[in-house]
Amino acid sequence: MQAILLYPNREVYSNGNYVLTVDGSNSHLDWEREYYFSWDGNYNQRTHSVSDAKVKSIAGPVSYQSDYASSDNAILVYLDKETLFMHHVSSFRSGPPTQYEDSFVDTIGKTTPRRLDDDDLINWGDHIIVFDVNKGRSIDFFSALNFYYASGVESIPTIEFLN
């Protein structure tokens, strides 16, 4: 049986493994995903990152399976306002003609880096860091702000609550 415990010092543990500190510094929750593909002097690049996580709530433990990451012992960390989010995409073609594109605009049309706000939480659903308890690190970001889920490039993850 799995147990998640909140201690008086605001630390959260899952079966003895540290997960996070409510209202604390949680840099271990930071998550980044970078795609980079180059050929013949050309490239395509996409980077997402989440940092300075503000914790709204947690759920779990869960089994989590996506095209990108999986865990048989994860905690869902629901992010709150003021969490820092960044999305960057760029490409270069050596030509001719030479072409370069660069954008920090996210999937809902806002320029990043930026902090999550009321609009993100009210109109765009939950923004969830998936924290693998066994590995002690964040493995995915399940959100409408994640290009891979928002665009349908990757399937929506399968989440099963344990116990």
Side-chain angles (χ1 to χ4, degrees), residues 48-145:
H48 292 82
S49 68
V50 175
S51 58
D52 196 20
K54 306 301 181 205
V55 179
K56 182 177 176 183
S57 63
I58 63 171
V62 301
S63 170
Y64 183 87
Q65 178 69 47
S66 73
D67 293 341
Y68 174 69
S70 65
S71 172
D72 62 358
N73 185 19
I75 301 294
L76 305 178
V77 180
Y78 291 77
L79 300 174
D80 207 351
K81 294 184 302 187
E82 298 301 315
T83 297
L84 188 58
F85 172 70
M86 189 276 299
H87 176 250
H88 177 249
V89 61
S90 63
S91 63
F92 175 78
R93 304 292 178 269
S94 56
T98 299
Q99 299 173 357
Y100 178 71
E101 294 182 30
D102 180 50
S103 174
F104 282 91
V105 176
D106 65 23
T107 59
I108 62 173
K110 295 180 181 181
T111 301
T112 69
R114 66 182 184 82
R115 303 246 175 214
L116 298 184
D117 58 25
D118 283 327
D119 176 62
D120 295 309
L121 301 178
I122 294 168
N123 297 314
W124 297 98
D126 293 319
H127 308 281
I128 303 167
I129 284 290
V130 181
F131 182 80
D132 186 307
V133 176
N134 297 335
K135 294 178 182 175
R137 64 179 178 85
S138 298
I139 59 168
D140 205 358
F141 177 53
F142 182 42
S143 166
L145 297 175

Side-chain angles (χ1 to χ4, degrees), residues 64-67 142-143 148-150 152-159:
Y64 183 87
Q65 178 69 47
S66 73
D67 293 341
F142 182 42
S143 166
Y148 300 100
Y149 299 129
V153 169
E154 293 180 0
S155 302
I156 299 298
T158 301
I159 301 170

Side-chain angles (χ1 to χ4, degrees), residues 4-6 12-13 19-20 22 55-60 75-78 161:
I4 298 175
L5 300 172
L6 170 64
V12 175
Y13 284 80
V19 176
L20 59 88
V22 177
V55 179
K56 182 177 176 183
S57 63
I58 63 171
I75 301 294
L76 305 178
V77 180
Y78 291 77
F161 283 83

